[in-house]
Amino acid sequence: MKSDEYYMRMAIEEAKKAGGIYEVPIGAVIVLDDEVVSKAHNLRETEQRSIAHAELLAIDEACRKLGTWRLEDTTLYVTLEPCPMCAGAIVLSRVKRVVYGAKDPKGGCAGTLMNLLTEERFNHQAEVVNGVLEAECGALLSDFFRELRRKKKEEKLGRESTK
């Protein structure tokens, strides 16, 4: 059986694809019985759809491939802690286990702000493993946003110099 780090590295590769097209670099991989069922990366800006998060795209593809909305024995690997929307989809699709890299202090719903994935009032709870390749996952995001701020600053300076 392959390790959590092995599959998180796949999720990181998906995140890099997102960063390469100027999307927030988040990637997700769904695994069943040590086989990759689906992979996805953020496409929110590309598709201009608020729900085009890596986790939702991976869940949707996995459901189609497996022919069921119940992903009961799967593990979802994602580079950033799921947001409320993605956490809800994880619970509703009954993903068994969620492994994430970096914590999300602004929107994390797998233990940071709250933990929707283990909320006992829901009819399903997912096992949560956090911090897998956390530094690498966090660096992808930090580097992306640092570069974005740099470009915006350059654009602003360019506009001011032409006035």
Side-chain angles (χ1 to χ4, degrees):
M1 185 166 177
K2 295 178 185 85
S3 68
D4 287 342
E5 290 82 7
Y6 176 86
Y7 290 114
M8 186 60 74
R9 289 194 192 290
M10 284 184 147
I12 288 169
E13 289 306 310
E14 284 298 310
K16 288 177 181 177
K17 290 177 187 177
I21 56 172
Y22 305 105
E23 292 278 353
V24 176
I26 300 169
V29 174
I30 295 180
V31 175
L32 175 65
D33 298 328
D34 216 25
E35 296 288 327
V36 174
V37 176
S38 63
K39 297 187 282 188
H41 53 273
N42 271 10
L43 291 173
R44 190 167 62 169
E45 295 298 328
T46 302
E47 296 185 359
Q48 288 298 299
R49 293 187 314 126
S50 58
I51 63 167
H53 287 205
E55 300 96 316
L56 293 182
L57 297 171
I59 286 169
D60 192 44
E61 183 182 336
C63 290
R64 275 195 305 255
K65 281 187 175 176
L66 297 173
T68 181
W69 61 268
R70 292 178 185 89
L71 302 177
E72 291 168 328
D73 293 317
T74 62
T75 298
L76 168 69
Y77 294 88
V78 63
T79 55
L80 181 66
E81 180 179 4
C83 72
M85 174 176 65
C86 293
I90 290 163
V91 169
L92 292 172
S93 61
R94 298 185 180 157
V95 170
K96 181 178 184 176
R97 192 167 168 261
V98 175
V99 179
Y100 72 86
K103 292 183 179 181
D104 183 355
K106 294 182 179 180
C109 287
T112 300
L113 292 180
M114 63 185 71
N115 196 340
L116 295 176
L117 298 180
T118 61
E119 173 56 57
E120 292 183 2
R121 292 175 289 179
F122 291 135
N123 69 341
H124 175 78
Q125 294 80 42
E127 175 190 341
V128 177
V129 177
N130 65 44
V132 175
L133 301 179
E134 182 173 11
E136 197 171 334
C137 292
L140 279 173
L141 292 157
S142 298
D143 293 349
F144 175 81
F145 285 112
R146 186 179 309 110
E147 180 65 13
L148 194 62
R149 286 188 299 272
R150 186 190 66 73
K151 283 183 179 179
K152 285 184 178 182
K153 186 176 181 180
E154 280 181 6
E155 289 172 7
K156 183 179 178 184
L157 291 172
R159 284 192 303 270
E160 288 175 0
S161 70
T162 59
K163 288 183 181 180

